[in-house]
C-alpha cells in the first residue's frame, strides 16, 4: 500500500475508509461494522468520521468497529464550525472521544469554516494537542485564500485539507492543491466516486472494462496515482471494501491517464472550491 506522509512525519495509507452516510439505518449496522473491520484487515487503517455524520452515530459505529483494535487505526474526526471556539471545541472533542470509545484522535479537523475566527480555532486545536486529546489537526473544505489566512493566523501546524476532489471536481488543481503541496500538506479527497455518480459514466465504464476493473476502481486509481493524495471512499459492505482495496494495485498507463484527462478535463482556470 502506498503511504502518504503528513508534515509532522506521520504516515498513513493513501487509501482509507470514509463513513459519511453510514450508521443511518439500524439494519445495516452489523454489515457496516464488518466492512470497516475488513478494511482494517486489508490495511485501510485510516478511518474518517465526523460529529455531523448521523448526528454522532457514525462515530459510535466506528468506535464499535475498532474496539480492541484502536492501536491499529489512524482515527480522524471533524468538528462543526459552530463548535470551533475556545470554549466549545474541547467539549465537542470530548463528546467525539466518548462516542468513539477512545482517549485520543490521531487527526482532528475543522469541518468547514464558520464564524469563529481562524486564529481562535488554531489556538483551541493547539490546546487539545498539548492536552493529549488529539495528536494533530487540520481542516476541511477550506479554499486557497482560507488556507493562506489560516497560516497567517498561526496555523502553521495544520496537517491537511480534506476537500471534494475526484475526476469531475478538478478546479482545485489550479491553485489549492499546488499550495498544499508547497506546504507538504496532503489532500484528503472525499467523495472520490462522486457519491456513485461516476459509475454511470459510459466512457469510464468502457475504460474500466478494458482494464478488467470497475469504474470505481479506475476513479480511485487516478487519485492514488497522484502525489500526496489520500482517498477516503465509503464502503458499506465487505465486498465493496475488497473492490476498493484492489484499486490500490491498479496501475494506470500514460495512455489511460491521457484518456481520463480528455474525458474529465479540469476547468480552464481556478474556480471556487466545491463542497457537498
Amino acid at each position: 500500500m502506498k503511504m502518504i506522509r503528513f508534515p509532522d512525519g506521520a504516515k498513513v495509507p493513501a487509501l482509507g475508509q470514509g463513513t459519511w452516510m453510514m450508521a443511518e439505518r439500524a439494519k445495516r449496522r452489523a454489515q457496516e461494522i464488518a466492512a470497516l473491520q475488513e478494511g482494517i484487515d486489508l490495511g485501510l487503517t485510516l478511518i474518517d468520521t465526523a460529529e455531523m455524520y448521523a448526528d454522532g452515530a457514525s462515530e459510535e459505529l466506528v468506535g464499535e468497529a475498532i474496539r480492541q483494535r484502536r492501536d491499529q487505526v489512524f482515527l480522524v474526526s471533524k468538528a462543526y464550525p459552530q463548535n470551533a471556539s475556545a470554549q466549545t471545541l474541547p467539549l465537542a472533542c470530548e463528546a467525539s472521544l466518548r462516542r468513539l470509545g477512545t482517549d485520543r484522535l490521531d487527526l482532528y479537523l475543522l469541518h468547514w469554516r464558520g464564524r469563529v475566527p481562524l486564529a481562535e480555532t488554531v489556538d483551541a486545536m493547539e490546546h487539545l494537542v498539548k492536552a493529549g486529546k488529539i495528536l494533530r489537526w487540520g481542516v476541511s473544505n477550506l479554499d486557497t485564500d482560507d488556507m493562506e489566512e489560516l497560516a497567517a493566523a498561526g496555523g502553521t501546524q495544520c496537517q491537511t485539507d480534506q476537500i471534494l476532489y475526484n475526476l469531475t471536481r478538478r478546479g482545485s488543481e489550479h491553485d489549492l492543491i499546488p499550495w498544499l503541496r508547497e506546504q507538504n500538506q496532503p489532500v484528503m479527497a472525499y467523495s472520490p466516486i462522486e457519491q456513485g455518480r461516476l459509475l454511470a459514466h459510459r466512457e469510464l465504464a468502457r475504460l474500466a472494462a478494458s482494464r478488467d476493473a470497475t469504474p470505481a476502481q479506475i476513479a480511485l486509481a487516478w487519485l492514488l496515482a497522484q502525489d500526496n493524495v489520500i482517498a477516503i471512499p465509503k464502503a458499506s459492505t465487505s465486498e465493496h471494501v475488497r473492490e476498493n482495496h484492489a484499486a490500490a494495485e491498479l496501475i494506470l498507463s500514460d495512455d489511460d491517464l491521457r484518456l481520463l484527462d480528455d474525458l474529465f478535463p479540469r476547468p480552464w482556470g481556478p474556480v471556487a472550491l466545491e463542497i457537498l
Side-chain angles (χ1 to χ4, degrees):
M1 177 68 67
K2 179 180 179 181
M3 302 297 287
I4 302 296
R5 186 189 298 270
F6 287 106
D8 71 352
K11 293 182 180 180
V12 297
L15 185 60
Q17 302 187 78
T19 60
W20 189 14
M21 294 184 288
M22 291 177 73
E24 295 185 351
R25 297 188 182 181
K27 65 180 182 180
R28 294 182 179 175
R29 185 175 186 82
Q31 168 187 295
E32 290 173 342
I33 289 172
L36 289 170
Q37 292 174 337
E38 175 91 2
I40 297 170
D41 291 340
L42 292 172
L44 311 184
T45 52
L46 184 151
I47 299 179
D48 175 83
T49 186
E51 66 173 340
M52 183 188 80
Y53 298 168
D55 292 326
S58 174
E59 290 180 322
E60 292 173 348
L61 184 141
V62 170
E64 185 172 345
I66 67 172
R67 194 171 298 155
Q68 310 301 324
R69 308 184 69 173
R70 173 64 184 90
D71 291 340
Q72 300 175 36
V73 172
F74 188 95
L75 193 55
V76 185
S77 194
K78 299 183 283 293
Y80 274 120
Q82 62 265 32
N83 288 339
S85 71
Q87 294 76 31
T88 56
L89 192 62
L91 300 176
C93 182
E94 287 289 355
S96 288
L97 293 175
R98 184 168 58 253
R99 288 188 290 266
L100 287 160
T102 186
D103 62 349
R104 85 279 183 195
L105 288 169
D106 296 289
L107 177 64
Y108 198 30
L109 307 180
L110 169 65
H111 207 153
W112 65 90
R113 187 172 184 179
R115 296 181 179 179
V116 178
L118 290 177
E120 183 174 349
T121 300
V122 168
D123 189 59
M125 287 289 193
E126 293 293 348
H127 275 87
L128 288 172
V129 171
K130 290 177 182 177
K133 301 296 183 179
I134 65 175
L135 301 187
R136 56 194 61 80
W137 64 271
V139 295
S140 180
N141 295 308
L142 266 63
D143 212 341
T144 312
D145 56 345
D146 298 310
M147 295 303 295
E148 291 174 343
E149 183 180 341
L150 181 75
T156 57
Q157 295 304 308
C158 179
Q159 299 294 306
T160 188
D161 190 4
Q162 184 179 122
I163 62 172
L164 175 61
Y165 183 45
N166 59 49
L167 283 166
T168 66
R169 310 277 191 163
R170 300 184 59 182
S172 55
E173 292 179 9
H174 284 283
D175 49 6
L176 177 58
I177 291 178
W179 190 93
L180 291 168
R181 285 179 175 150
E182 287 179 0
Q183 315 304 315
N184 296 315
Q185 294 181 28
V187 172
M188 293 186 71
Y190 73 82
S191 295
I193 317 299
E194 186 63 13
Q195 294 186 314
R197 287 183 286 273
L198 277 167
L199 304 182
H201 193 284
R202 292 184 179 180
E203 294 301 322
L204 182 61
R206 187 173 289 113
L207 172 60
S210 74
R211 295 299 312 271
D212 194 26
T214 67
Q217 287 172 331
I218 296 292
L220 287 173
W222 176 79
L223 284 170
L224 297 174
Q226 301 184 45
D227 294 331
N228 240 21
V229 173
I230 303 163
I232 48 171
K234 182 202 74 172
S236 297
T237 68
S238 294
E239 180 182 9
H240 191 183
V241 170
R242 290 191 291 270
E243 177 186 339
N244 288 346
H245 176 259
E249 304 301 322
L250 179 60
I251 306 300
L252 299 177
S253 68
D254 290 342
D255 287 341
D256 294 334
L257 294 171
R258 281 192 289 268
L259 176 58
L260 290 170
D261 276 338
D262 289 340
L263 294 175
F264 304 97
R266 71 179 185 177
W268 286 105
V271 297
L273 182 65
E274 298 173 286
I275 296 174
L276 285 179

